[in-house]
Every structure is written in C-alpha cells, then in structure tokens.
Amino acid sequence: MPFFNVIRWVAWKDLISEVRSRETLSSMFFFALIVILVFSFSFSMDQQAARELIAGIMWVAFAFTGIIGLGKSFAAELQNDCLEHLQISPGSKGAIYLGKLLANVVFMLTVEVILFPMFVIFFNLDVVDALPLLLLVFALATLGLSTVGTLFSAMTVQVRAREVMLPILLLPLAVPVMIAAVEATRGALNGDPLALYANWLQLLAVFDVVFSVLSFWAFEWILDG
Amino acid sequence: MGALIKWMQRYEGWFGAVGGVCIFAGLYLGLAASPPDYYQGEVVRIMYVHVPIVQTAMLAYSVLFAGSIWYLWKRDPIVDNLCQAAAGISAYLTAGGLITGSIWAKPTWNTWWTWDARLVSFAVMLLILIGYLMLRTFIDDPEREARFAAVLAIVGFVDLPIVHFSVEWWRTLHQPLSISMRGIAMSGDMLRPLIVMSVGFWVLFVYMLMVRTQMLYLTDLLRAKKGRLLSHAHLSDLPT
C-alpha cells in the first residue's frame, strides 16, 4: 500500500472512530477544564500575577490533557487484536506512526483551541495581537509533545502498569519542549518583541525535527519486534 | 559473543586494581597535596569527587546509548545485559553527582538547589534512567524488554548534549566548562589530581560494568537452565 495512503487511512480511522464515540476528546476536554478550575482556586490571582503564571498553567493543562489523549491512542488498538493486525499489515510501519501522530496532533490542537478562549475569559487576558504567534507556539509544542508521546504510547500499551508508565517516560523527555513552550507563550502574551523569545521558538522547531526523525525511525522496533 | 564474557572474567581484576590505585592516589593528591582555592578555600576539594562522578555518569549513559544501537542492530542478549548494567551504574552516579553538587552548592551559592539549566537537565537524566529501569521491570518477555529499553535509551540520549552545553547556552549560576575547546582555565596543581581521579573513576566504571554485566548474564543463564530442567521434568512425566 502506498506510503501516504497508509498515513491517511490510519489518521482517518482514528478520527472517524472519535467522531462516533467522542470518548477521547470529551475526557481530554473535561480533564483540562478541571485543571483550569483547580489552578484558579489555588492561586488567587490579580491581573499582574495572572500575566506571570498563565503561560505555565496553560501548558500544564495542555500537557496533562495531551497525556490522556496519547494514552488512549494505542489503548484502543488492544481490543479485538487490532495491534496485531497493525503489526502484520503490509504497509510501512513508519506510515502507521505518522497516521497516529497526525490524529493525536489533531486531537490535542482541537482541545487547545477550545480551551484557549476559556483561559482568555477566566483570566482576563488581552490576546488579539499575539494570536498568530500563539497559534504558532501551540502548533510547534503540540507536535513536539505528540511525536515522542505517540512513540511511547505504542510502547507502554504493550507493558504492565501502562497508565503509570506513559507519563513517567514522556514527561522527563518533554521538559525542554515544555520550558520552551512556556517561555514563548509568556513572551507572546506579554507583547514582548519577537527577538526576545525567538530562541525558544527555534528550540521548539529543533526538537520537533529531532524527535520526529528519531521516533519515526524507532517506531519500527516498537511495533515490529 | 561468549568471548566477551570470557574476556571480562579474565581482565576485570586488572581494571578494579588500576581504578582503585588511581582513586586512592587522586584522593591523596586532591585532599592533601593540592592547594586550597583562592576564592572557595577548602570547599573546592569536593570538586575532585563531584566532577569525576558527573563525567562518569555521562560516560555511562553514552555507553548505554552505543550499546542500545548495537543491540538493535545485532540482537545479542549479552549486549542487552551490558546496557542494563550501564543504566544501573549511570543512575547511581547521576544521583551521586546531584548529591555532591548540592553539598558543594550550599557553601558557594548559599543554596542546596537552584533551577539552573545544568541542574535541571542533569536531574532529567536521572528521571530518564529511572524510567528506563522501571520500564524493564514491567515487561515479561525478555526480548521485548531489551528492544523497548534500547529504543527508550536512544530517544532519551537527546538530553545528554543539553546537559553538556547547558552552561554555555544559558549563563546562570553554574560555572561554564573549565576544560573545553577554548583551552584549560585551571591551575596545574588542581588539574593533576582531577585528571587522576577522573581516570580512576572511568576505569572503575569499566570494572563495575564488567562485573554487573556478568551478573546479569548469569541470571539469564540460570533462568534458561531452570526452564530446561522444568521441560525435562515435564517430558519425563508424560505418558509414553
């Protein structure tokens, strides 16, 4: 089967089953909502404090939500031996990885785009000017989290204690992505000149490339055996 | 590949002896013979332990990385034993590096811990190694355990250049590299004991790696033997 068709079909399969069950998106969304509420209770923030903290809070919410989505990504394949069928399917394993990655990025970005207006409302943010840059940061950081996350999701789903192992393996590796995302988001929200935080955007882009190449290459050993 | 185990059995004693001698000589040179630092006084002497530990922890992770690629390529179970041994030793050394660094930081920076890029990236390395060792305990099939662990070690290796260059990229509390491509910013009296200690720790690491690899190899062998005995017992019970 041609490479790009495999990517398209795997992503399409995940998206269509999500549209039918709405299981992943709704659990991600409500979990993130609870995280936002807990944070707003924990810190009684004025405008100044909100400006300082909001970037960190936002990315904690997005990362934890992403882990829920990523964990479900391959867990769904355990039923009816779907994982074995993926393993013996004639298409390239890398294409299966890219299809899964595409679906995961779409899920995470959807949740982020729904949640971001809530941050704006709950924490009184002024974001109109920063919007294009913020979307760029969201896209880069979401890709960074999803590349390693998709690989580790395929790995941890085949081991014991899988719910615990995914965050334990993913979060340490995602630390650089998280730091860069928080710094770039803070810069964009504060309206700083781009030159001040362009380094962090570069770091995100570098990590995206490194992690995509590594994960694409390593996926064969995770699914194949 | 049994040759590797044979070679280890034959030469491990030499590595242990050389490592031990170097470390004792280095401790004497560093603690008694070298002068105190102009700024830090006697406190600087913890450097002769801290720096070699950190270097060796990173060397151990590099061995783990190279071994993991080798394993995925050749699928030799003894190479997997070697990787597991390197990961365990690296985890202990990384924890040791964090602890000695913390003891050094208290008198010089007046704090046990600071969120500095070098410290964070080094602590992340410990978390990756702990994740690696945990992952291995959660997989029952030895072949799959080795394969997944190798992939994790290779992906996690991304952290190592960040640890190394963090002090150059982000100028914070941690001092930049004293020995780099730009030259050596350290007096000879202090450099000599440091080099002797570093060599001692590297050789000691090789010794520990050899011993631990053999232990893991023997554990695997024992499991295989038990399986064979069980299978014999089972076959002899079958009705003829």
PDB file of all heavy atoms in Angstrom, chain A residues 151-152 155 158-160 165 168-169 172-173 200 207 214 218 221-222 225, chain B residues 75 124 134-135 137-140 144 147-148 151-152 156 158 162 170:
ATOM      1  N   LEU A 151       5.085   7.629  20.117  1.00  0.00           N
ATOM      2  CA  LEU A 151       6.029   6.507  20.199  1.00  0.00           C
ATOM      3  C   LEU A 151       5.886   5.775  21.537  1.00  0.00           C
ATOM      4  O   LEU A 151       5.762   4.548  21.591  1.00  0.00           O
ATOM      5  CB  LEU A 151       7.457   7.031  20.043  1.00  0.00           C
ATOM      6  CG  LEU A 151       8.561   5.990  20.146  1.00  0.00           C
ATOM      7  CD1 LEU A 151       8.617   5.147  18.891  1.00  0.00           C
ATOM      8  CD2 LEU A 151       9.905   6.635  20.393  1.00  0.00           C
ATOM      9  N   PHE A 152       5.878   6.561  22.644  1.00  0.00           N
ATOM     10  CA  PHE A 152       5.809   5.942  23.965  1.00  0.00           C
ATOM     11  C   PHE A 152       4.439   5.331  24.226  1.00  0.00           C
ATOM     12  O   PHE A 152       4.324   4.371  24.981  1.00  0.00           O
ATOM     13  CB  PHE A 152       6.151   6.968  25.044  1.00  0.00           C
ATOM     14  CG  PHE A 152       7.610   7.283  25.120  1.00  0.00           C
ATOM     15  CD1 PHE A 152       8.083   8.330  25.879  1.00  0.00           C
ATOM     16  CD2 PHE A 152       8.524   6.517  24.429  1.00  0.00           C
ATOM     17  CE1 PHE A 152       9.425   8.626  25.944  1.00  0.00           C
ATOM     18  CE2 PHE A 152       9.876   6.795  24.479  1.00  0.00           C
ATOM     19  CZ  PHE A 152      10.330   7.851  25.240  1.00  0.00           C
ATOM     20  N   MET A 155       4.579   2.025  22.911  1.00  0.00           N
ATOM     21  CA  MET A 155       5.447   1.186  23.732  1.00  0.00           C
ATOM     22  C   MET A 155       4.738   0.774  25.025  1.00  0.00           C
ATOM     23  O   MET A 155       4.650  -0.406  25.355  1.00  0.00           O
ATOM     24  CB  MET A 155       6.718   1.976  24.042  1.00  0.00           C
ATOM     25  CG  MET A 155       7.803   1.178  24.703  1.00  0.00           C
ATOM     26  SD  MET A 155       9.078   2.242  25.385  1.00  0.00           S
ATOM     27  CE  MET A 155      10.015   2.688  24.019  1.00  0.00           C
ATOM     28  N   GLN A 158       1.973  -1.914  25.502  1.00  0.00           N
ATOM     29  CA  GLN A 158       2.332  -3.340  25.483  1.00  0.00           C
ATOM     30  C   GLN A 158       3.006  -3.800  26.772  1.00  0.00           C
ATOM     31  O   GLN A 158       3.551  -4.899  26.817  1.00  0.00           O
ATOM     32  CB  GLN A 158       3.268  -3.612  24.305  1.00  0.00           C
ATOM     33  CG  GLN A 158       2.652  -3.270  22.963  1.00  0.00           C
ATOM     34  CD  GLN A 158       3.616  -3.483  21.820  1.00  0.00           C
ATOM     35  OE1 GLN A 158       4.138  -4.571  21.624  1.00  0.00           O
ATOM     36  NE2 GLN A 158       3.856  -2.453  21.040  1.00  0.00           N
ATOM     37  N   VAL A 159       3.020  -2.970  27.827  1.00  0.00           N
ATOM     38  CA  VAL A 159       3.664  -3.384  29.081  1.00  0.00           C
ATOM     39  C   VAL A 159       2.660  -3.340  30.220  1.00  0.00           C
ATOM     40  O   VAL A 159       1.566  -2.785  30.073  1.00  0.00           O
ATOM     41  CB  VAL A 159       4.877  -2.485  29.422  1.00  0.00           C
ATOM     42  CG1 VAL A 159       5.819  -2.403  28.254  1.00  0.00           C
ATOM     43  CG2 VAL A 159       4.437  -1.116  29.846  1.00  0.00           C
ATOM     44  N   ARG A 160       3.077  -3.907  31.373  1.00  0.00           N
ATOM     45  CA  ARG A 160       2.222  -3.813  32.562  1.00  0.00           C
ATOM     46  C   ARG A 160       2.244  -2.379  33.094  1.00  0.00           C
ATOM     47  O   ARG A 160       3.133  -1.614  32.771  1.00  0.00           O
ATOM     48  CB  ARG A 160       2.722  -4.773  33.629  1.00  0.00           C
ATOM     49  CG  ARG A 160       2.276  -6.207  33.371  1.00  0.00           C
ATOM     50  CD  ARG A 160       2.722  -7.098  34.511  1.00  0.00           C
ATOM     51  NE  ARG A 160       4.140  -7.417  34.391  1.00  0.00           N
ATOM     52  CZ  ARG A 160       5.016  -7.283  35.370  1.00  0.00           C
ATOM     53  NH1 ARG A 160       4.633  -6.828  36.539  1.00  0.00           N
ATOM     54  NH2 ARG A 160       6.280  -7.614  35.179  1.00  0.00           N
ATOM     55  N   MET A 165       3.215   4.243  33.297  1.00  0.00           N
ATOM     56  CA  MET A 165       4.484   4.337  32.584  1.00  0.00           C
ATOM     57  C   MET A 165       4.504   5.455  31.546  1.00  0.00           C
ATOM     58  O   MET A 165       5.544   6.068  31.328  1.00  0.00           O
ATOM     59  CB  MET A 165       4.811   2.995  31.908  1.00  0.00           C
ATOM     60  CG  MET A 165       5.417   1.960  32.823  1.00  0.00           C
ATOM     61  SD  MET A 165       6.604   2.623  33.971  1.00  0.00           S
ATOM     62  CE  MET A 165       8.030   2.835  32.923  1.00  0.00           C
ATOM     63  N   ILE A 168       5.519   8.752  33.150  1.00  0.00           N
ATOM     64  CA  ILE A 168       6.878   8.637  33.712  1.00  0.00           C
ATOM     65  C   ILE A 168       7.928   8.709  32.609  1.00  0.00           C
ATOM     66  O   ILE A 168       8.976   9.317  32.765  1.00  0.00           O
ATOM     67  CB  ILE A 168       7.013   7.319  34.511  1.00  0.00           C
ATOM     68  CG1 ILE A 168       6.250   7.432  35.817  1.00  0.00           C
ATOM     69  CG2 ILE A 168       8.475   6.990  34.786  1.00  0.00           C
ATOM     70  CD1 ILE A 168       6.343   6.209  36.682  1.00  0.00           C
ATOM     71  N   LEU A 169       7.636   8.099  31.469  1.00  0.00           N
ATOM     72  CA  LEU A 169       8.618   8.133  30.386  1.00  0.00           C
ATOM     73  C   LEU A 169       8.541   9.427  29.595  1.00  0.00           C
ATOM     74  O   LEU A 169       9.550   9.976  29.163  1.00  0.00           O
ATOM     75  CB  LEU A 169       8.388   6.951  29.431  1.00  0.00           C
ATOM     76  CG  LEU A 169       8.528   5.556  30.013  1.00  0.00           C
ATOM     77  CD1 LEU A 169       8.375   4.520  28.928  1.00  0.00           C
ATOM     78  CD2 LEU A 169       9.878   5.389  30.676  1.00  0.00           C
ATOM     79  N   PRO A 172       9.737  13.537  31.500  1.00  0.00           N
ATOM     80  CA  PRO A 172      11.133  13.999  31.538  1.00  0.00           C
ATOM     81  C   PRO A 172      11.658  14.400  30.157  1.00  0.00           C
ATOM     82  O   PRO A 172      12.325  15.412  30.005  1.00  0.00           O
ATOM     83  CB  PRO A 172      11.908  12.783  32.070  1.00  0.00           C
ATOM     84  CG  PRO A 172      10.917  11.969  32.774  1.00  0.00           C
ATOM     85  CD  PRO A 172       9.608  12.191  32.094  1.00  0.00           C
ATOM     86  N   LEU A 173      11.302  13.600  29.129  1.00  0.00           N
ATOM     87  CA  LEU A 173      11.792  13.930  27.794  1.00  0.00           C
ATOM     88  C   LEU A 173      11.132  15.175  27.243  1.00  0.00           C
ATOM     89  O   LEU A 173      11.692  15.870  26.398  1.00  0.00           O
ATOM     90  CB  LEU A 173      11.531  12.747  26.862  1.00  0.00           C
ATOM     91  CG  LEU A 173      12.629  11.722  26.893  1.00  0.00           C
ATOM     92  CD1 LEU A 173      12.227  10.495  26.126  1.00  0.00           C
ATOM     93  CD2 LEU A 173      13.881  12.304  26.282  1.00  0.00           C
ATOM     94  N   TRP A 200      13.503  30.513  21.822  1.00  0.00           N
ATOM     95  CA  TRP A 200      12.667  29.414  22.319  1.00  0.00           C
ATOM     96  C   TRP A 200      11.890  28.789  21.176  1.00  0.00           C
ATOM     97  O   TRP A 200      11.686  27.569  21.151  1.00  0.00           O
ATOM     98  CB  TRP A 200      11.724  29.912  23.410  1.00  0.00           C
ATOM     99  CG  TRP A 200      12.457  30.375  24.633  1.00  0.00           C
ATOM    100  CD1 TRP A 200      12.572  31.656  25.088  1.00  0.00           C
ATOM    101  CD2 TRP A 200      13.180  29.562  25.560  1.00  0.00           C
ATOM    102  NE1 TRP A 200      13.326  31.695  26.228  1.00  0.00           N
ATOM    103  CE2 TRP A 200      13.706  30.426  26.545  1.00  0.00           C
ATOM    104  CE3 TRP A 200      13.435  28.193  25.653  1.00  0.00           C
ATOM    105  CZ2 TRP A 200      14.478  29.955  27.615  1.00  0.00           C
ATOM    106  CZ3 TRP A 200      14.196  27.738  26.705  1.00  0.00           C
ATOM    107  CH2 TRP A 200      14.705  28.612  27.667  1.00  0.00           C
ATOM    108  N   PHE A 207      13.592  20.673  18.314  1.00  0.00           N
ATOM    109  CA  PHE A 207      13.114  19.466  18.985  1.00  0.00           C
ATOM    110  C   PHE A 207      12.104  18.717  18.141  1.00  0.00           C
ATOM    111  O   PHE A 207      12.104  17.487  18.102  1.00  0.00           O
ATOM    112  CB  PHE A 207      12.520  19.812  20.346  1.00  0.00           C
ATOM    113  CG  PHE A 207      13.533  19.692  21.423  1.00  0.00           C
ATOM    114  CD1 PHE A 207      14.190  20.792  21.903  1.00  0.00           C
ATOM    115  CD2 PHE A 207      13.872  18.453  21.922  1.00  0.00           C
ATOM    116  CE1 PHE A 207      15.154  20.675  22.868  1.00  0.00           C
ATOM    117  CE2 PHE A 207      14.837  18.319  22.884  1.00  0.00           C
ATOM    118  CZ  PHE A 207      15.475  19.433  23.358  1.00  0.00           C
ATOM    119  N   LEU A 214      13.731  10.722  15.065  1.00  0.00           N
ATOM    120  CA  LEU A 214      14.054   9.612  15.974  1.00  0.00           C
ATOM    121  C   LEU A 214      12.860   8.679  16.138  1.00  0.00           C
ATOM    122  O   LEU A 214      12.994   7.454  16.052  1.00  0.00           O
ATOM    123  CB  LEU A 214      14.424  10.171  17.343  1.00  0.00           C
ATOM    124  CG  LEU A 214      15.892  10.390  17.663  1.00  0.00           C
ATOM    125  CD1 LEU A 214      16.037  10.927  19.069  1.00  0.00           C
ATOM    126  CD2 LEU A 214      16.644   9.066  17.530  1.00  0.00           C
ATOM    127  N   ALA A 218      12.427   4.862  15.151  1.00  0.00           N
ATOM    128  CA  ALA A 218      12.382   3.867  16.237  1.00  0.00           C
ATOM    129  C   ALA A 218      11.066   3.095  16.263  1.00  0.00           C
ATOM    130  O   ALA A 218      10.991   2.023  16.841  1.00  0.00           O
ATOM    131  CB  ALA A 218      12.593   4.563  17.584  1.00  0.00           C
ATOM    132  N   TRP A 221      10.807  -0.701  15.602  1.00  0.00           N
ATOM    133  CA  TRP A 221      11.192  -1.677  16.627  1.00  0.00           C
ATOM    134  C   TRP A 221      10.132  -1.832  17.696  1.00  0.00           C
ATOM    135  O   TRP A 221      10.128  -2.796  18.429  1.00  0.00           O
ATOM    136  CB  TRP A 221      12.525  -1.273  17.261  1.00  0.00           C
ATOM    137  CG  TRP A 221      13.657  -1.673  16.417  1.00  0.00           C
ATOM    138  CD1 TRP A 221      14.063  -2.943  16.170  1.00  0.00           C
ATOM    139  CD2 TRP A 221      14.523  -0.828  15.671  1.00  0.00           C
ATOM    140  NE1 TRP A 221      15.139  -2.940  15.325  1.00  0.00           N
ATOM    141  CE2 TRP A 221      15.442  -1.663  15.008  1.00  0.00           C
ATOM    142  CE3 TRP A 221      14.620   0.545  15.509  1.00  0.00           C
ATOM    143  CZ2 TRP A 221      16.436  -1.168  14.187  1.00  0.00           C
ATOM    144  CZ3 TRP A 221      15.610   1.036  14.697  1.00  0.00           C
ATOM    145  CH2 TRP A 221      16.501   0.196  14.041  1.00  0.00           C
ATOM    146  N   ILE A 222       9.254  -0.842  17.801  1.00  0.00           N
ATOM    147  CA  ILE A 222       8.210  -0.926  18.817  1.00  0.00           C
ATOM    148  C   ILE A 222       7.067  -1.800  18.326  1.00  0.00           C
ATOM    149  O   ILE A 222       6.522  -2.611  19.056  1.00  0.00           O
ATOM    150  CB  ILE A 222       7.667   0.491  19.138  1.00  0.00           C
ATOM    151  CG1 ILE A 222       8.764   1.361  19.705  1.00  0.00           C
ATOM    152  CG2 ILE A 222       6.503   0.417  20.097  1.00  0.00           C
ATOM    153  CD1 ILE A 222       9.341   0.858  20.980  1.00  0.00           C
ATOM    154  N   GLY A 225       9.040  -5.900  16.218  1.00  0.00           N
ATOM    155  CA  GLY A 225       9.568  -6.993  17.014  1.00  0.00           C
ATOM    156  C   GLY A 225      10.756  -7.671  16.397  1.00  0.00           C
ATOM    157  O   GLY A 225      11.320  -7.392  15.440  1.00  0.00           O
TER     158      GLY A 225
ATOM    159  N   ARG B  75      21.057  -7.727  17.961  1.00  0.00           N
ATOM    160  CA  ARG B  75      20.156  -8.536  18.796  1.00  0.00           C
ATOM    161  C   ARG B  75      20.894  -9.570  19.655  1.00  0.00           C
ATOM    162  O   ARG B  75      20.490 -10.731  19.753  1.00  0.00           O
ATOM    163  CB  ARG B  75      19.115  -9.267  17.942  1.00  0.00           C
ATOM    164  CG  ARG B  75      18.217  -8.367  17.148  1.00  0.00           C
ATOM    165  CD  ARG B  75      17.406  -7.517  18.070  1.00  0.00           C
ATOM    166  NE  ARG B  75      16.655  -6.530  17.332  1.00  0.00           N
ATOM    167  CZ  ARG B  75      15.381  -6.667  17.011  1.00  0.00           C
ATOM    168  NH1 ARG B  75      14.711  -7.715  17.381  1.00  0.00           N
ATOM    169  NH2 ARG B  75      14.770  -5.723  16.346  1.00  0.00           N
ATOM    170  N   VAL B 124      16.898  15.642  34.981  1.00  0.00           N
ATOM    171  CA  VAL B 124      16.062  14.972  33.992  1.00  0.00           C
ATOM    172  C   VAL B 124      16.720  13.669  33.537  1.00  0.00           C
ATOM    173  O   VAL B 124      16.060  12.655  33.343  1.00  0.00           O
ATOM    174  CB  VAL B 124      15.799  15.913  32.792  1.00  0.00           C
ATOM    175  CG1 VAL B 124      15.283  15.146  31.595  1.00  0.00           C
ATOM    176  CG2 VAL B 124      14.828  17.005  33.190  1.00  0.00           C
ATOM    177  N   MET B 134      12.610   1.224  35.391  1.00  0.00           N
ATOM    178  CA  MET B 134      11.229   0.829  35.719  1.00  0.00           C
ATOM    179  C   MET B 134      10.585   0.092  34.558  1.00  0.00           C
ATOM    180  O   MET B 134       9.934  -0.936  34.739  1.00  0.00           O
ATOM    181  CB  MET B 134      10.390   2.067  36.050  1.00  0.00           C
ATOM    182  CG  MET B 134      10.442   2.485  37.484  1.00  0.00           C
ATOM    183  SD  MET B 134       9.449   3.960  37.721  1.00  0.00           S
ATOM    184  CE  MET B 134       7.834   3.241  37.882  1.00  0.00           C
ATOM    185  N   LEU B 135      10.780   0.659  33.345  1.00  0.00           N
ATOM    186  CA  LEU B 135      10.170   0.034  32.164  1.00  0.00           C
ATOM    187  C   LEU B 135      10.599  -1.428  32.061  1.00  0.00           C
ATOM    188  O   LEU B 135       9.799  -2.300  31.754  1.00  0.00           O
ATOM    189  CB  LEU B 135      10.587   0.802  30.903  1.00  0.00           C
ATOM    190  CG  LEU B 135      10.056   0.233  29.586  1.00  0.00           C
ATOM    191  CD1 LEU B 135       8.578   0.538  29.440  1.00  0.00           C
ATOM    192  CD2 LEU B 135      10.803   0.787  28.392  1.00  0.00           C
ATOM    193  N   THR B 137      11.302  -3.487  34.372  1.00  0.00           N
ATOM    194  CA  THR B 137      10.669  -4.392  35.331  1.00  0.00           C
ATOM    195  C   THR B 137       9.223  -4.692  34.946  1.00  0.00           C
ATOM    196  O   THR B 137       8.639  -5.628  35.469  1.00  0.00           O
ATOM    197  CB  THR B 137      10.678  -3.794  36.743  1.00  0.00           C
ATOM    198  OG1 THR B 137       9.925  -2.588  36.706  1.00  0.00           O
ATOM    199  CG2 THR B 137      12.073  -3.493  37.219  1.00  0.00           C
ATOM    200  N   PHE B 138       8.639  -3.890  34.055  1.00  0.00           N
ATOM    201  CA  PHE B 138       7.214  -4.067  33.747  1.00  0.00           C
ATOM    202  C   PHE B 138       6.967  -4.903  32.492  1.00  0.00           C
ATOM    203  O   PHE B 138       5.843  -4.967  32.019  1.00  0.00           O
ATOM    204  CB  PHE B 138       6.532  -2.707  33.585  1.00  0.00           C
ATOM    205  CG  PHE B 138       6.263  -2.026  34.886  1.00  0.00           C
ATOM    206  CD1 PHE B 138       6.617  -0.707  35.084  1.00  0.00           C
ATOM    207  CD2 PHE B 138       5.651  -2.703  35.929  1.00  0.00           C
ATOM    208  CE1 PHE B 138       6.371  -0.072  36.287  1.00  0.00           C
ATOM    209  CE2 PHE B 138       5.403  -2.091  37.130  1.00  0.00           C
ATOM    210  CZ  PHE B 138       5.760  -0.764  37.314  1.00  0.00           C
ATOM    211  N   ILE B 139       8.018  -5.479  31.905  1.00  0.00           N
ATOM    212  CA  ILE B 139       7.836  -6.290  30.704  1.00  0.00           C
ATOM    213  C   ILE B 139       8.277  -7.719  31.008  1.00  0.00           C
ATOM    214  O   ILE B 139       9.334  -7.935  31.587  1.00  0.00           O
ATOM    215  CB  ILE B 139       8.643  -5.719  29.522  1.00  0.00           C
ATOM    216  CG1 ILE B 139       8.317  -4.244  29.332  1.00  0.00           C
ATOM    217  CG2 ILE B 139       8.338  -6.484  28.255  1.00  0.00           C
ATOM    218  CD1 ILE B 139       9.105  -3.570  28.257  1.00  0.00           C
ATOM    219  N   ASP B 140       7.429  -8.694  30.630  1.00  0.00           N
ATOM    220  CA  ASP B 140       7.727 -10.080  30.977  1.00  0.00           C
ATOM    221  C   ASP B 140       8.606 -10.771  29.944  1.00  0.00           C
ATOM    222  O   ASP B 140       9.434 -11.591  30.283  1.00  0.00           O
ATOM    223  CB  ASP B 140       6.416 -10.856  31.129  1.00  0.00           C
ATOM    224  CG  ASP B 140       5.559 -10.256  32.229  1.00  0.00           C
ATOM    225  OD1 ASP B 140       6.139  -9.885  33.267  1.00  0.00           O
ATOM    226  OD2 ASP B 140       4.341 -10.127  32.039  1.00  0.00           O
ATOM    227  N   ARG B 144      11.383  -8.517  24.188  1.00  0.00           N
ATOM    228  CA  ARG B 144      10.673  -7.250  24.050  1.00  0.00           C
ATOM    229  C   ARG B 144      11.212  -6.216  25.044  1.00  0.00           C
ATOM    230  O   ARG B 144      11.371  -5.042  24.704  1.00  0.00           O
ATOM    231  CB  ARG B 144       9.183  -7.483  24.298  1.00  0.00           C
ATOM    232  CG  ARG B 144       8.378  -6.219  24.188  1.00  0.00           C
ATOM    233  CD  ARG B 144       6.920  -6.454  24.494  1.00  0.00           C
ATOM    234  NE  ARG B 144       6.243  -7.097  23.385  1.00  0.00           N
ATOM    235  CZ  ARG B 144       4.954  -7.462  23.429  1.00  0.00           C
ATOM    236  NH1 ARG B 144       4.263  -7.282  24.531  1.00  0.00           N
ATOM    237  NH2 ARG B 144       4.388  -8.021  22.402  1.00  0.00           N
ATOM    238  N   ARG B 147      14.329  -4.752  23.620  1.00  0.00           N
ATOM    239  CA  ARG B 147      14.064  -3.918  22.447  1.00  0.00           C
ATOM    240  C   ARG B 147      13.498  -2.554  22.870  1.00  0.00           C
ATOM    241  O   ARG B 147      13.973  -1.502  22.446  1.00  0.00           O
ATOM    242  CB  ARG B 147      13.079  -4.677  21.554  1.00  0.00           C
ATOM    243  CG  ARG B 147      12.864  -4.139  20.205  1.00  0.00           C
ATOM    244  CD  ARG B 147      12.393  -5.263  19.254  1.00  0.00           C
ATOM    245  NE  ARG B 147      11.470  -6.225  19.834  1.00  0.00           N
ATOM    246  CZ  ARG B 147      10.133  -6.074  19.843  1.00  0.00           C
ATOM    247  NH1 ARG B 147       9.596  -4.984  19.338  1.00  0.00           N
ATOM    248  NH2 ARG B 147       9.353  -7.000  20.362  1.00  0.00           N
ATOM    249  N   PHE B 148      12.472  -2.587  23.726  1.00  0.00           N
ATOM    250  CA  PHE B 148      11.839  -1.330  24.157  1.00  0.00           C
ATOM    251  C   PHE B 148      12.829  -0.463  24.939  1.00  0.00           C
ATOM    252  O   PHE B 148      12.902   0.745  24.758  1.00  0.00           O
ATOM    253  CB  PHE B 148      10.615  -1.618  25.036  1.00  0.00           C
ATOM    254  CG  PHE B 148       9.409  -2.061  24.272  1.00  0.00           C
ATOM    255  CD1 PHE B 148       9.516  -2.455  22.950  1.00  0.00           C
ATOM    256  CD2 PHE B 148       8.149  -2.080  24.862  1.00  0.00           C
ATOM    257  CE1 PHE B 148       8.399  -2.867  22.235  1.00  0.00           C
ATOM    258  CE2 PHE B 148       7.035  -2.485  24.156  1.00  0.00           C
ATOM    259  CZ  PHE B 148       7.167  -2.892  22.849  1.00  0.00           C
ATOM    260  N   VAL B 151      15.188   1.320  22.616  1.00  0.00           N
ATOM    261  CA  VAL B 151      14.563   2.476  21.957  1.00  0.00           C
ATOM    262  C   VAL B 151      14.469   3.657  22.923  1.00  0.00           C
ATOM    263  O   VAL B 151      14.803   4.802  22.582  1.00  0.00           O
ATOM    264  CB  VAL B 151      13.162   2.088  21.426  1.00  0.00           C
ATOM    265  CG1 VAL B 151      12.390   3.339  21.016  1.00  0.00           C
ATOM    266  CG2 VAL B 151      13.281   1.140  20.253  1.00  0.00           C
ATOM    267  N   LEU B 152      14.062   3.372  24.166  1.00  0.00           N
ATOM    268  CA  LEU B 152      13.945   4.453  25.158  1.00  0.00           C
ATOM    269  C   LEU B 152      15.303   5.111  25.411  1.00  0.00           C
ATOM    270  O   LEU B 152      15.404   6.349  25.472  1.00  0.00           O
ATOM    271  CB  LEU B 152      13.369   3.892  26.463  1.00  0.00           C
ATOM    272  CG  LEU B 152      13.255   4.894  27.596  1.00  0.00           C
ATOM    273  CD1 LEU B 152      12.278   6.000  27.226  1.00  0.00           C
ATOM    274  CD2 LEU B 152      12.795   4.225  28.876  1.00  0.00           C
ATOM    275  N   GLY B 156      16.094   8.966  24.690  1.00  0.00           N
ATOM    276  CA  GLY B 156      16.457   9.763  25.858  1.00  0.00           C
ATOM    277  C   GLY B 156      17.830  10.405  25.752  1.00  0.00           C
ATOM    278  O   GLY B 156      18.129  11.355  26.464  1.00  0.00           O
ATOM    279  N   VAL B 158      18.885  12.372  23.753  1.00  0.00           N
ATOM    280  CA  VAL B 158      18.762  13.789  23.375  1.00  0.00           C
ATOM    281  C   VAL B 158      19.115  14.702  24.551  1.00  0.00           C
ATOM    282  O   VAL B 158      19.610  15.811  24.369  1.00  0.00           O
ATOM    283  CB  VAL B 158      17.312  14.045  22.897  1.00  0.00           C
ATOM    284  CG1 VAL B 158      17.069  15.522  22.688  1.00  0.00           C
ATOM    285  CG2 VAL B 158      17.049  13.290  21.612  1.00  0.00           C
ATOM    286  N   ILE B 162      22.196  18.438  25.906  1.00  0.00           N
ATOM    287  CA  ILE B 162      21.633  19.583  26.648  1.00  0.00           C
ATOM    288  C   ILE B 162      22.377  19.735  27.970  1.00  0.00           C
ATOM    289  O   ILE B 162      22.731  20.837  28.383  1.00  0.00           O
ATOM    290  CB  ILE B 162      20.124  19.401  26.902  1.00  0.00           C
ATOM    291  CG1 ILE B 162      19.385  19.163  25.601  1.00  0.00           C
ATOM    292  CG2 ILE B 162      19.555  20.630  27.594  1.00  0.00           C
ATOM    293  CD1 ILE B 162      17.905  18.988  25.762  1.00  0.00           C
ATOM    294  N   TRP B 170      22.923  28.753  28.409  1.00  0.00           N
ATOM    295  CA  TRP B 170      22.221  29.604  29.375  1.00  0.00           C
ATOM    296  C   TRP B 170      23.204  29.986  30.459  1.00  0.00           C
ATOM    297  O   TRP B 170      23.596  29.140  31.273  1.00  0.00           O
ATOM    298  CB  TRP B 170      21.046  28.854  29.992  1.00  0.00           C
ATOM    299  CG  TRP B 170      19.964  28.546  29.030  1.00  0.00           C
ATOM    300  CD1 TRP B 170      19.020  29.409  28.556  1.00  0.00           C
ATOM    301  CD2 TRP B 170      19.672  27.276  28.423  1.00  0.00           C
ATOM    302  NE1 TRP B 170      18.187  28.752  27.683  1.00  0.00           N
ATOM    303  CE2 TRP B 170      18.561  27.457  27.575  1.00  0.00           C
ATOM    304  CE3 TRP B 170      20.256  26.017  28.496  1.00  0.00           C
ATOM    305  CZ2 TRP B 170      18.013  26.426  26.827  1.00  0.00           C
ATOM    306  CZ3 TRP B 170      19.709  24.991  27.746  1.00  0.00           C
ATOM    307  CH2 TRP B 170      18.605  25.208  26.927  1.00  0.00           C
TER     308      TRP B 170
END
